[in-house]
Amino acid sequence: MHAALLDHIQKFITLNSEEINILESNITLSKVKKKEHLLKEGQVCNTMYFVTKGCARQYIINPKGTEQTLQFAIENWWITDYLSYHNNTPSHFYIQTVENCEIVVLEKNVLESLLIQIPKLERYFKIVSQKSFGAAQMRIKFLFTMSAEERYNHFKNQQPDFVQRVPQYMLASYLDFSAEFMSKIRAGKV
Amino acid sequence: MHAALLDHIQKFITLNSEEINILESNITLSKVKKKEHLLKEGQVCNTMYFVTKGCARQYIINPKGTEQTLQFAIENWWITDYLSYHNNTPSHFYIQTVENCEIVVLEKNVLESLLIQIPKLERYFKIVSQKSFGAAQMRIKFLFTMSAEERYNHFKNQQPDFVQRVPQYMLASYLDFSAEFMSKIRAGKV
DNA sequence: TGAATTTCTTGAAGCAGTTCAAGTTTTTTA
DNA sequence: TAAAAAACTTGAACTGCTTCAAGAAATTCA
């Protein structure tokens, strides 16, 4: 059912059967249709989302009114706005499903009670967020050092199937160039 | 002595006096001269650094041979390469002091033993890294939506003193534009 | 203090990627 | 399955920023 999250947790820490029971009774899987919003700009984010099926994204609407995707979350990724979550401040971001999804929706109060019952989970979330931060640093490195075409090819090599899964304009904005330019890169017209 | 780190930890979790003793006996403060390297590209990063005085930075050398700063760490910031640290892979980054510094140097084996003795520390590091990740997301947002001049002005408003503390070319690369362009922005010649 | 090094400045030429506008293709939905 | 909506393509004009080169200013250190 939500075996995916249990499996993911157990990649990083060891759970006994009691702890597994606690988790199973506190965690539910939600089906979310394509293009639904999990978070909108201006809302305080009180929830963490773990994608077990499908794809979600975090995006902003820039001053020109265009959407720009900052992050994708596919199977086995957490997505949330940690700043809004920790500081109880309005979020700068939208979080939206890109495909029909199955998502573990974990409210702050539920999570905090789980963390008290199973303190080991702190370690799990520590490792996950440290790795995410490391990935964000690499992302900034690529944005800084590669041309638009290099970023596209690099991404395509790393995630060959994913390129097919999302609209090209979303991927273009994630890689920080325009949809039109993406079209030219793909046609070899650069 | 290293009160700074204890204070920082106690902003997020509560420690009893025994735990404080354990920390005090395992943590030492190192003086590091300006421009010394804490990590070089290609090394595996086995250490976390907490800056209590001075300033350090994480940077890369891009294909043109120019340094580009990805992150600054001033007082009360942790700096490390989490991907290298967790995966035991060679780092893509340099970490270097920018000023004479006082730094808590925490080796992986010491940290792991501390985390066993004081499991609560997992929560501390979780919160710190989640906030760092949140900050990295905001950084990407600013890089995506603001012009070079806007990024400079925004940074100057947020961190007015810091602008004076580091060479302008380092700040320029952190904000993702050239040192020459920084010079023109500051002179109002844009 | 004086020499060496590092950092900052300036202008001119160039270009990687944007913007705009219009048309085409694909996907969704009633 | 037809109509509407969403996504993609193309070329032409444009621009924000880079690159290069050379000199000036500031900082470091013997």
Side-chain angles (χ1 to χ4, degrees):
Chain A
M1 189 145 60
H2 38 272
L5 177 52
L6 280 177
D7 286 353
H8 193 250
I9 293 173
Q10 288 179 106
K11 272 191 196 165
F12 300 103
I13 62 173
T14 308
L15 297 170
N16 62 41
S17 56
E18 194 197 341
E19 291 163 341
I20 291 177
N21 285 340
I22 295 171
L23 280 169
E24 285 187 331
S25 62
N26 279 280
I27 287 173
T28 59
L29 204 55
S30 305
K31 299 209 181 217
V32 184
K33 284 231 185 71
K34 189 172 172 170
K35 288 195 182 172
E36 282 191 25
H37 279 97
L38 304 173
L39 176 71
K40 289 188 181 177
E41 187 183 351
Q43 294 178 340
V44 174
C45 178
N46 283 306
T47 317
M48 292 189 55
Y49 302 97
F50 182 80
V51 178
T52 65
K53 205 171 200 178
C55 175
R57 66 168 179 148
Q58 179 186 30
Y59 71 96
I60 54 171
I61 298 182
N62 72 18
K64 280 160 206 142
T66 311
E67 295 175 2
Q68 289 191 269
T69 299
L70 299 190
Q71 202 196 344
F72 290 108
I74 54 172
E75 288 78 10
N76 292 332
W77 272 87
W78 286 96
I79 189 164
T80 189
D81 177 353
Y82 286 112
L83 279 191
S84 173
Y85 186 96
H86 280 293
N87 302 337
N88 287 300
T89 49
S91 179
H92 290 80
F93 306 109
Y94 296 83
I95 297 178
Q96 183 197 41
T97 52
V98 180
E99 303 171 342
N100 293 330
C101 284
E102 291 180 19
I103 295 183
V104 174
V105 177
L106 200 46
E107 298 296 334
K108 196 189 243 181
N109 58 342
V110 176
L111 175 54
E112 284 302 325
S113 115
L114 280 174
L115 290 168
I116 289 165
Q117 294 174 77
I118 314 174
K120 259 187 281 187
L121 284 179
E122 300 281 6
R123 182 176 176 85
Y124 165 70
F125 285 106
K126 178 198 77 172
I127 295 171
V128 165
S129 59
Q130 288 184 346
K131 287 192 160 208
S132 300
F133 181 77
Q137 294 290 111
M138 286 301 290
R139 174 150 156 68
I140 293 174
K141 173 182 166 162
F142 295 138
L143 288 170
F144 275 18
T145 57
M146 292 179 177
S147 71
E149 193 178 4
E150 286 166 344
R151 293 198 297 279
Y152 174 71
N153 288 325
H154 179 261
F155 189 89
K156 205 177 62 171
N157 290 336
Q158 300 289 305
Q159 317 269 341
D161 341 292
F162 187 74
V163 176
Q164 318 300 331
R165 268 174 80 173
V166 297
Q168 298 302 308
Y169 75 87
M170 280 189 198
L171 187 51
S173 75
Y174 176 79
L175 296 173
D176 199 23
F177 47 76
S178 67
E180 294 90 338
F181 198 65
M182 167 72 100
S183 199
K184 284 161 196 170
I185 290 172
R186 282 156 50 88
K189 298 185 177 171
V190 288
Chain B
M1 190 141 64
H2 40 269
L5 177 52
L6 279 176
D7 287 354
H8 192 250
I9 293 173
Q10 288 179 105
K11 273 191 195 165
F12 301 102
I13 61 173
T14 308
L15 297 170
N16 62 38
S17 55
E18 195 198 341
E19 291 164 340
I20 292 177
N21 285 340
I22 294 172
L23 280 170
E24 286 187 331
S25 62
N26 278 281
I27 287 173
T28 59
L29 203 56
S30 304
K31 300 212 180 212
V32 184
K33 285 232 184 72
K34 188 172 173 170
K35 290 195 181 173
E36 281 191 26
H37 280 97
L38 304 173
L39 176 70
K40 290 188 180 178
E41 189 185 350
Q43 295 177 341
V44 174
C45 178
N46 282 307
T47 317
M48 293 190 55
Y49 301 97
F50 182 79
V51 178
T52 66
K53 204 173 201 176
C55 175
R57 65 169 179 147
Q58 178 186 31
Y59 72 96
I60 54 169
I61 298 183
N62 72 18
K64 280 161 205 140
T66 312
E67 294 174 3
Q68 288 191 270
T69 299
L70 298 191
Q71 202 197 346
F72 290 108
I74 55 172
E75 289 77 11
N76 291 332
W77 273 87
W78 287 96
I79 189 165
T80 189
D81 177 351
Y82 286 111
L83 278 193
S84 174
Y85 186 95
H86 280 293
N87 302 338
N88 287 301
T89 49
S91 178
H92 290 79
F93 307 110
Y94 296 83
I95 297 178
Q96 182 198 43
T97 53
V98 179
E99 302 172 342
N100 292 330
C101 284
E102 290 180 20
I103 295 183
V104 175
V105 177
L106 201 46
E107 298 295 334
K108 196 188 245 180
N109 58 340
V110 175
L111 174 54
E112 284 303 325
S113 116
L114 280 174
L115 290 168
I116 289 166
Q117 295 174 75
I118 314 173
K120 259 188 283 188
L121 284 180
E122 301 280 6
R123 181 175 175 87
Y124 165 70
F125 284 106
K126 178 198 76 171
I127 296 171
V128 165
S129 59
Q130 288 184 347
K131 288 192 159 208
S132 299
F133 181 77
Q137 293 292 108
M138 286 301 291
R139 175 153 157 64
I140 293 174
K141 173 182 166 161
F142 294 138
L143 287 171
F144 275 19
T145 57
M146 293 179 177
S147 71
E149 191 177 7
E150 285 167 342
R151 293 199 296 278
Y152 175 71
N153 288 325
H154 180 261
F155 189 90
K156 204 174 66 171
N157 290 336
Q158 300 289 305
Q159 317 270 342
D161 340 292
F162 187 75
V163 176
Q164 317 301 329
R165 267 173 82 173
V166 298
Q168 298 302 308
Y169 74 87
M170 280 188 198
L171 188 51
S173 74
Y174 177 79
L175 296 172
D176 199 24
F177 46 76
S178 68
E180 293 91 336
F181 198 66
M182 167 72 100
S183 198
K184 283 160 195 170
I185 290 172
R186 282 156 49 87
K189 297 185 177 171
V190 287

